[in-house]
Amino acid sequence: MDWNLLALSFAAVFISELGDKSQIAAIALGGSSKSPRAVFLGTAAALLLASFLGVIIGEGTAQVLPERLVKAVAAVGFALLAVRLLWPGESSD
């Protein structure tokens, strides 16, 4: 097993999941539930399934498309998101 890749994957997902909508939903469910264990198991299973699907789709994509193309598409996508976030939106005043 590649321990460096394991640690990098853990850190990337852990940091990106902090404060996102799923964590807020888990907080709300945990706070209003009489069974926090069920909330934990449900949210953990959902994150595992979503991550599993991402890995399977990524592996399939890597077998069909060249790595350079996938990286280029990802870079362009992230750049477009960054520009969109920085671009001043229309005011709803």
XYZ file of all heavy atoms in Angstrom:
671
model
N 0.844 -1.180 0.000
C 0.000 0.000 0.000
C 0.885 1.237 0.000
O 1.907 1.284 0.669
C -0.916 0.001 1.218
C -1.760 1.256 1.301
S -2.925 1.337 2.656
C -4.097 0.121 2.170
N 0.463 2.230 -0.748
C 1.181 3.495 -0.834
C 0.711 4.396 0.316
O -0.339 5.026 0.232
C 0.916 4.140 -2.188
C 1.748 5.392 -2.423
O 2.335 5.907 -1.444
O 1.798 5.847 -3.569
N 1.474 4.438 1.396
C 1.074 5.180 2.600
C 1.050 6.691 2.368
O 0.239 7.401 2.968
C 1.990 4.821 3.764
C 1.792 3.386 4.176
C 2.607 2.332 3.877
C 0.696 2.855 4.923
N 2.076 1.178 4.395
C 0.904 1.465 5.052
C -0.443 3.409 5.491
C 0.029 0.629 5.720
C -1.319 2.565 6.173
C -1.091 1.200 6.271
N 1.946 7.175 1.510
C 1.938 8.615 1.203
C 0.654 9.008 0.478
O 0.059 10.044 0.776
C 3.157 8.994 0.353
C 4.434 8.963 1.157
O 4.416 9.175 2.361
N 5.530 8.691 0.479
N 0.230 8.186 -0.469
C -1.015 8.455 -1.187
C -2.215 8.341 -0.259
O -3.156 9.139 -0.340
C -1.165 7.498 -2.371
C -2.377 7.707 -3.271
C -2.398 9.126 -3.826
C -2.376 6.691 -4.393
N -2.181 7.392 0.662
C -3.251 7.247 1.651
C -3.357 8.507 2.511
O -4.447 9.050 2.704
C -3.003 6.029 2.535
C -4.002 5.823 3.662
C -5.300 5.259 3.116
C -3.438 4.918 4.719
N -2.222 8.981 2.994
C -2.219 10.182 3.836
C -2.660 11.416 3.052
O -3.430 12.239 3.552
C -0.823 10.409 4.426
N -2.200 11.536 1.814
C -2.585 12.673 0.974
C -4.086 12.648 0.685
O -4.760 13.674 0.771
C -1.796 12.661 -0.328
C -2.113 13.777 -1.316
C -1.754 15.136 -0.713
C -1.363 13.555 -2.612
N -4.627 11.482 0.370
C -6.063 11.351 0.108
C -6.874 11.703 1.348
O -7.878 12.421 1.270
C -6.400 9.924 -0.331
O -5.719 9.586 -1.500
N -6.437 11.191 2.504
C -7.134 11.491 3.752
C -7.136 12.987 4.021
O -8.174 13.582 4.312
C -6.485 10.751 4.925
C -7.093 11.120 6.252
C -8.244 10.488 6.697
C -6.538 12.115 7.040
C -8.820 10.831 7.909
C -7.107 12.474 8.254
C -8.249 11.818 8.690
N -5.966 13.608 3.915
C -5.858 15.044 4.206
C -6.699 15.870 3.234
O -7.395 16.801 3.655
C -4.394 15.483 4.155
N -6.651 15.526 1.952
C -7.395 16.297 0.956
C -8.900 16.211 1.202
O -9.602 17.228 1.186
C -7.064 15.798 -0.446
N -9.402 15.013 1.453
C -10.845 14.854 1.683
C -11.240 15.457 3.022
O -12.265 16.142 3.126
C -11.252 13.367 1.584
C -12.685 13.164 2.034
C -11.069 12.869 0.159
N -10.446 15.257 4.041
C -10.769 15.787 5.363
C -10.876 17.309 5.329
O -11.842 17.895 5.813
C -9.715 15.354 6.388
C -10.009 15.828 7.782
C -10.949 15.182 8.558
C -9.354 16.934 8.306
C -11.221 15.625 9.848
C -9.623 17.387 9.583
C -10.558 16.715 10.365
N -9.888 17.949 4.723
C -9.890 19.409 4.666
C -11.028 19.926 3.787
O -11.711 20.891 4.134
C -8.521 19.935 4.183
C -7.468 19.677 5.265
C -8.585 21.411 3.833
C -6.045 19.905 4.823
N -11.264 19.262 2.654
C -12.315 19.750 1.753
C -13.711 19.524 2.315
O -14.644 20.240 1.963
C -12.196 19.084 0.380
O -12.476 17.708 0.468
N -13.875 18.564 3.214
C -15.195 18.286 3.781
C -15.507 19.145 5.009
O -16.670 19.211 5.418
C -15.308 16.806 4.167
C -15.349 15.868 2.991
C -16.564 16.069 2.098
O -17.660 16.334 2.618
O -16.405 15.965 0.878
N -14.512 19.799 5.598
C -14.769 20.622 6.770
C -15.681 21.788 6.413
O -15.396 22.560 5.509
C -13.458 21.165 7.352
C -12.613 20.174 8.123
C -11.317 20.840 8.569
C -13.346 19.622 9.313
N -16.781 21.894 7.121
C -17.674 23.022 6.945
C -18.516 22.990 5.683
O -19.136 23.989 5.339
N -18.568 21.864 4.994
C -19.404 21.826 3.791
C -20.849 21.471 4.161
O -21.181 21.266 5.327
C -18.825 20.880 2.741
C -19.049 19.419 3.070
O -19.356 19.103 4.232
O -18.918 18.591 2.158
N -21.699 21.398 3.156
C -23.129 21.170 3.402
C -23.398 19.839 4.084
O -24.284 19.747 4.928
C -23.898 21.227 2.078
C -23.889 22.587 1.419
C -24.597 22.540 0.089
C -23.789 21.653 -0.818
N -23.960 21.775 -2.217
N -22.636 18.810 3.736
C -22.890 17.506 4.350
C -22.541 17.514 5.842
O -23.221 16.883 6.644
C -22.123 16.394 3.623
O -20.740 16.637 3.647
N -21.503 18.253 6.213
C -21.163 18.333 7.634
C -22.222 19.126 8.391
O -22.599 18.761 9.504
C -19.790 18.962 7.827
C -19.341 18.891 9.279
C -17.964 19.462 9.482
O -17.555 20.369 8.772
N -17.258 18.954 10.465
N -22.723 20.179 7.788
C -23.782 20.965 8.431
C -25.044 20.124 8.579
O -25.711 20.161 9.611
C -24.033 22.263 7.641
C -22.792 23.160 7.751
C -25.268 22.979 8.145
C -22.789 24.344 6.829
N -25.358 19.323 7.552
C -26.518 18.431 7.636
C -26.318 17.397 8.746
O -27.252 17.091 9.505
C -26.747 17.732 6.305
N -25.106 16.864 8.874
C -24.822 15.891 9.926
C -24.947 16.525 11.312
O -25.463 15.908 12.242
C -23.420 15.302 9.745
N -24.505 17.766 11.444
C -24.639 18.478 12.716
C -26.110 18.664 13.062
O -26.537 18.425 14.193
C -23.903 19.833 12.662
C -22.392 19.612 12.608
C -24.282 20.712 13.846
C -21.596 20.859 12.274
N -26.893 19.080 12.073
C -28.326 19.288 12.307
C -29.021 17.976 12.665
O -29.828 17.930 13.607
C -28.972 19.908 11.073
N -28.703 16.923 11.928
C -29.318 15.623 12.225
C -28.873 15.094 13.585
O -29.673 14.556 14.342
C -28.973 14.612 11.129
C -29.672 14.801 9.801
C -29.046 13.897 8.743
C -31.152 14.510 9.938
N -27.588 15.239 13.879
C -27.068 14.764 15.162
C -27.653 15.515 16.339
O -27.919 14.940 17.395
N -27.875 16.803 16.150
C -28.431 17.613 17.226
C -29.906 17.373 17.473
O -30.394 17.566 18.583
N -30.625 16.935 16.454
C -32.064 16.730 16.612
C -32.440 15.258 16.728
O -33.622 14.932 16.770
C -32.802 17.341 15.420
O -32.451 16.651 14.229
N -31.456 14.389 16.807
C -31.719 12.950 16.833
C -31.458 12.369 18.215
O -30.608 12.853 18.957
C -30.812 12.260 15.813
O -30.864 10.869 15.974
N -32.186 11.313 18.514
C -31.937 10.592 19.754
C -30.909 9.483 19.551
O -30.549 8.800 20.496
C -33.248 10.012 20.279
C -34.193 11.068 20.790
C -35.397 10.417 21.416
C -36.197 11.339 22.213
N -37.022 12.279 21.847
N -30.478 9.314 18.306
C -29.511 8.267 17.993
C -28.358 8.835 17.161
O -28.316 8.668 15.943
C -30.207 7.131 17.239
O -29.291 6.114 16.936
N -27.402 9.501 17.811
C -26.278 10.060 17.053
C -25.434 8.978 16.374
O -24.814 9.237 15.349
C -25.474 10.835 18.097
C -25.945 10.362 19.416
C -27.328 9.813 19.228
N -25.438 7.776 16.907
C -24.685 6.684 16.287
C -25.246 6.382 14.889
O -24.496 6.161 13.950
C -24.736 5.427 17.146
C -23.894 4.301 16.574
C -23.926 3.058 17.410
N -23.770 3.395 18.818
C -24.015 2.568 19.817
N -24.430 1.349 19.572
N -23.855 2.941 21.054
N -26.568 6.382 14.760
C -27.190 6.142 13.455
C -26.850 7.262 12.479
O -26.601 7.005 11.295
C -28.704 6.005 13.611
N -26.819 8.498 12.968
C -26.452 9.623 12.105
C -25.004 9.464 11.654
O -24.691 9.637 10.473
C -26.658 10.972 12.831
C -26.115 12.122 12.005
C -28.128 11.180 13.155
N -24.122 9.105 12.578
C -22.715 8.903 12.224
C -22.564 7.799 11.194
O -21.880 7.967 10.180
C -21.875 8.573 13.465
C -20.491 8.120 13.120
C -19.534 9.033 12.698
C -20.146 6.778 13.166
C -18.262 8.618 12.348
C -18.879 6.353 12.817
C -17.936 7.274 12.413
N -23.199 6.663 11.427
C -23.066 5.536 10.507
C -23.658 5.875 9.131
O -23.084 5.518 8.097
C -23.723 4.288 11.087
C -23.019 3.701 12.311
C -23.833 2.543 12.904
C -21.613 3.244 11.964
N -24.779 6.574 9.114
C -25.382 6.959 7.841
C -24.527 7.939 7.062
O -24.317 7.783 5.852
N -24.015 8.959 7.740
C -23.190 9.947 7.046
C -21.843 9.353 6.624
O -21.339 9.663 5.548
C -22.961 11.204 7.907
O -22.399 10.825 9.158
C -24.271 11.954 8.135
N -21.276 8.481 7.452
C -20.012 7.833 7.090
C -20.210 6.923 5.880
O -19.377 6.908 4.958
C -19.462 7.037 8.270
N -21.317 6.175 5.862
C -21.597 5.296 4.719
C -21.803 6.110 3.447
O -21.331 5.725 2.366
C -22.822 4.439 5.011
N -22.481 7.252 3.556
C -22.708 8.101 2.380
C -21.387 8.653 1.844
O -21.164 8.671 0.625
C -23.657 9.243 2.741
N -20.504 9.104 2.731
C -19.210 9.621 2.293
C -18.369 8.510 1.661
O -17.709 8.727 0.640
C -18.456 10.265 3.455
C -17.093 10.862 3.119
C -17.212 11.926 2.025
C -16.442 11.452 4.346
N -18.406 7.319 2.262
C -17.671 6.196 1.683
C -18.187 5.851 0.286
O -17.399 5.620 -0.632
C -17.776 4.966 2.590
C -16.899 4.980 3.833
C -17.254 3.815 4.750
C -15.437 4.906 3.442
N -19.510 5.815 0.121
C -20.080 5.486 -1.182
C -19.732 6.558 -2.217
O -19.338 6.240 -3.347
C -21.593 5.325 -1.077
C -22.319 5.022 -2.387
C -21.817 3.720 -2.999
C -23.812 4.967 -2.154
N -19.852 7.823 -1.844
C -19.520 8.909 -2.771
C -18.038 8.855 -3.166
O -17.696 9.038 -4.338
C -19.864 10.260 -2.149
N -17.182 8.582 -2.199
C -15.745 8.478 -2.492
C -15.458 7.269 -3.376
O -14.654 7.345 -4.316
C -14.949 8.370 -1.197
O -15.105 9.541 -0.435
N -16.126 6.149 -3.092
C -15.944 4.941 -3.895
C -16.340 5.192 -5.346
O -15.621 4.826 -6.275
C -16.771 3.792 -3.306
C -16.732 2.530 -4.119
C -15.597 1.746 -4.140
C -17.834 2.148 -4.870
C -15.561 0.586 -4.900
C -17.811 0.996 -5.625
C -16.666 0.213 -5.646
N -17.487 5.840 -5.537
C -17.928 6.154 -6.900
C -16.938 7.067 -7.607
O -16.650 6.887 -8.794
C -19.320 6.784 -6.874
C -20.460 5.853 -6.466
C -21.763 6.635 -6.339
C -20.604 4.704 -7.440
N -16.392 8.053 -6.883
C -15.385 8.942 -7.468
C -14.138 8.191 -7.898
O -13.592 8.442 -8.986
N -13.705 7.260 -7.079
C -12.506 6.473 -7.412
C -12.771 5.576 -8.622
O -11.950 5.494 -9.542
C -12.053 5.632 -6.195
C -10.998 4.617 -6.588
C -11.523 6.547 -5.105
N -13.926 4.921 -8.648
C -14.255 4.032 -9.766
C -14.368 4.832 -11.073
O -13.834 4.430 -12.110
C -15.576 3.277 -9.473
C -15.393 2.329 -8.296
C -16.067 2.527 -10.702
C -14.329 1.274 -8.500
N -15.043 5.975 -11.021
C -15.175 6.804 -12.216
C -13.806 7.340 -12.646
O -13.477 7.369 -13.828
C -16.184 7.947 -11.977
C -17.591 7.364 -11.853
C -16.119 8.984 -13.089
C -18.625 8.339 -11.357
N -12.992 7.743 -11.668
C -11.643 8.222 -11.985
C -10.778 7.143 -12.610
O -10.045 7.393 -13.572
N -10.887 5.927 -12.088
C -10.104 4.826 -12.645
C -10.547 4.513 -14.076
O -9.729 4.318 -14.963
C -10.250 3.583 -11.775
C -9.463 2.392 -12.282
C -9.713 1.148 -11.468
O -10.765 1.038 -10.816
O -8.838 0.261 -11.509
N -11.860 4.512 -14.301
C -12.372 4.255 -15.640
C -11.962 5.336 -16.620
O -11.591 5.058 -17.767
N -12.014 6.575 -16.163
C -11.615 7.690 -17.007
C -10.128 7.595 -17.356
O -9.739 7.849 -18.494
C -11.904 9.025 -16.298
O -13.291 9.079 -15.985
C -11.546 10.214 -17.160
N -9.315 7.203 -16.387
C -7.875 7.105 -16.611
C -7.542 6.018 -17.626
O -6.530 6.108 -18.329
C -7.153 6.826 -15.297
N -8.383 4.990 -17.720
C -8.130 3.925 -18.692
C -8.550 4.311 -20.099
O -8.051 3.774 -21.073
C -8.848 2.649 -18.259
C -8.268 2.045 -17.012
C -9.007 0.807 -16.549
O -9.961 0.377 -17.164
N -8.559 0.252 -15.439
N -9.486 5.269 -20.211
C -10.014 5.658 -21.519
C -9.316 6.901 -22.071
O -9.020 6.969 -23.257
C -11.543 5.909 -21.423
C -12.094 6.429 -22.731
C -12.261 4.650 -20.994
N -9.060 7.866 -21.196
C -8.486 9.142 -21.638
C -7.035 9.271 -21.183
O -6.666 8.772 -20.119
C -9.295 10.306 -21.057
C -10.769 10.362 -21.448
C -11.463 11.463 -20.670
C -10.918 10.582 -22.938
N -6.227 9.984 -21.951
C -4.841 10.207 -21.523
C -4.782 11.104 -20.281
O -5.597 12.021 -20.122
C -4.182 10.892 -22.718
C -5.249 11.196 -23.687
C -6.506 10.535 -23.263
N -3.825 10.835 -19.423
C -3.683 11.572 -18.165
C -3.526 13.071 -18.407
O -4.108 13.890 -17.691
C -2.481 11.037 -17.386
C -2.252 11.727 -16.069
C -1.032 11.201 -15.330
O -0.429 10.211 -15.769
O -0.676 11.816 -14.309
N -2.778 13.421 -19.411
C -2.545 14.849 -19.710
C -3.850 15.566 -20.030
O -4.072 16.693 -19.589
C -1.551 14.963 -20.857
C -1.104 16.355 -21.150
C -0.008 16.319 -22.224
N 0.338 17.647 -22.644
C 1.400 18.310 -22.218
N 2.207 17.746 -21.355
N 1.647 19.520 -22.655
N -4.749 14.911 -20.764
C -6.036 15.511 -21.107
C -6.907 15.684 -19.868
O -7.528 16.732 -19.678
C -6.763 14.654 -22.155
C -8.171 15.110 -22.521
C -8.128 16.487 -23.180
C -8.840 14.089 -23.419
N -6.928 14.669 -19.011
C -7.730 14.751 -17.785
C -7.233 15.891 -16.903
O -8.027 16.674 -16.369
C -7.704 13.406 -17.021
C -8.392 13.525 -15.677
C -8.339 12.302 -17.856
N -5.923 16.014 -16.760
C -5.353 17.104 -15.959
C -5.664 18.460 -16.571
O -5.965 19.422 -15.852
C -3.839 16.916 -15.803
C -3.473 15.805 -14.848
C -1.967 15.704 -14.680
C -1.598 14.637 -13.681
N -0.154 14.533 -13.486
N -5.621 18.559 -17.896
C -5.909 19.824 -18.561
C -7.374 20.216 -18.361
O -7.680 21.374 -18.064
C -5.581 19.724 -20.049
N -8.280 19.261 -18.510
C -9.703 19.539 -18.312
C -9.966 19.958 -16.864
O -10.714 20.910 -16.602
C -10.560 18.323 -18.709
C -12.000 18.486 -18.269
C -10.487 18.088 -20.215
N -9.344 19.258 -15.912
C -9.506 19.624 -14.497
C -8.961 21.022 -14.227
O -9.596 21.816 -13.520
C -8.801 18.595 -13.608
N -7.807 21.340 -14.794
C -7.216 22.670 -14.592
C -8.107 23.763 -15.159
O -8.334 24.791 -14.511
C -5.827 22.725 -15.231
N -8.640 23.540 -16.351
C -9.536 24.530 -16.953
C -10.803 24.670 -16.123
O -11.285 25.786 -15.882
C -9.860 24.150 -18.420
C -10.989 24.996 -18.971
C -8.623 24.276 -19.292
N -11.339 23.545 -15.660
C -12.538 23.598 -14.825
C -12.326 24.380 -13.547
O -13.150 25.233 -13.181
N -11.224 24.123 -12.861
C -10.924 24.861 -11.633
C -10.676 26.335 -11.918
O -11.078 27.205 -11.142
C -9.735 24.248 -10.893
C -10.104 23.061 -10.058
C -9.623 21.802 -10.370
C -10.941 23.189 -8.954
C -9.960 20.700 -9.613
C -11.285 22.094 -8.188
C -10.799 20.848 -8.514
N -10.014 26.635 -13.029
C -9.774 28.034 -13.391
C -11.090 28.761 -13.660
O -11.285 29.900 -13.219
C -8.859 28.111 -14.616
N -12.009 28.099 -14.363
C -13.318 28.713 -14.624
C -14.092 28.945 -13.322
O -14.727 29.990 -13.156
C -14.132 27.835 -15.572
C -13.653 27.804 -17.018
C -14.441 26.762 -17.820
C -13.765 29.170 -17.652
N -14.026 27.989 -12.406
C -14.682 28.178 -11.112
C -14.073 29.350 -10.348
O -14.791 30.140 -9.737
C -14.577 26.905 -10.275
C -15.467 25.742 -10.710
C -15.110 24.478 -9.930
C -16.930 26.073 -10.511
N -12.747 29.457 -10.382
C -12.074 30.557 -9.680
C -12.472 31.906 -10.270
O -12.770 32.853 -9.533
C -10.559 30.368 -9.749
N -12.503 31.990 -11.594
C -12.889 33.244 -12.245
C -14.334 33.581 -11.899
O -14.662 34.724 -11.589
C -12.685 33.148 -13.774
C -13.347 34.316 -14.493
C -11.204 33.081 -14.100
N -15.184 32.585 -11.923
C -16.604 32.813 -11.606
C -16.766 33.295 -10.160
O -17.595 34.156 -9.869
C -17.401 31.529 -11.830
C -18.846 31.601 -11.447
C -19.599 32.619 -12.317
N -20.954 32.733 -11.898
C -21.485 33.791 -11.286
N -20.742 34.835 -11.042
N -22.737 33.809 -10.928
N -16.003 32.739 -9.243
C -16.088 33.166 -7.849
C -15.564 34.583 -7.654
O -16.068 35.326 -6.809
C -15.315 32.203 -6.947
C -15.974 30.852 -6.716
C -15.017 29.919 -5.979
C -17.267 30.998 -5.928
N -14.560 34.964 -8.417
C -13.962 36.284 -8.286
C -14.708 37.346 -9.067
O -14.606 38.529 -8.775
C -12.494 36.250 -8.728
C -11.568 35.418 -7.856
C -10.195 35.331 -8.481
C -11.490 35.998 -6.451
N -15.450 36.939 -10.099
C -16.181 37.881 -10.956
C -17.331 38.480 -10.174
O -18.121 37.758 -9.587
C -16.703 37.150 -12.173
C -17.010 38.049 -13.326
C -18.205 38.617 -13.597
C -16.123 38.462 -14.336
N -18.123 39.367 -14.716
C -16.837 39.293 -15.203
C -14.783 38.239 -14.602
C -16.260 39.882 -16.313
C -14.227 38.804 -15.701
C -14.950 39.619 -16.549
N -17.457 39.796 -10.176
C -18.577 40.399 -9.426
C -19.914 40.028 -10.086
O -20.074 40.172 -11.287
C -18.300 41.896 -9.498
C -17.356 42.079 -10.630
C -16.626 40.787 -10.812
N -20.816 39.521 -9.268
C -22.121 39.129 -9.784
C -23.056 40.318 -9.876
O -22.761 41.409 -9.396
N -24.175 40.084 -10.533
C -25.169 41.138 -10.645
C -25.827 41.366 -9.308
O -26.146 40.431 -8.587
C -26.223 40.763 -11.682
C -25.686 40.728 -13.086
C -26.789 40.465 -14.089
O -27.946 40.785 -13.819
O -26.466 39.901 -15.138
N -26.026 42.609 -8.986
C -26.665 42.973 -7.725
C -28.171 42.774 -7.830
O -28.778 43.059 -8.851
C -26.347 44.425 -7.403
O -27.135 44.878 -6.356
N -28.781 42.253 -6.770
C -30.234 42.043 -6.777
C -30.952 43.178 -6.033
O -32.041 43.002 -5.551
C -30.562 40.696 -6.137
O -30.117 40.694 -4.800
N -30.296 44.330 -5.940
C -30.896 45.480 -5.249
C -32.071 46.031 -5.996
O -32.158 46.249 -7.102
C -29.860 46.597 -5.040
C -28.766 46.153 -4.099
O -29.011 45.243 -3.296
O -27.650 46.710 -4.188
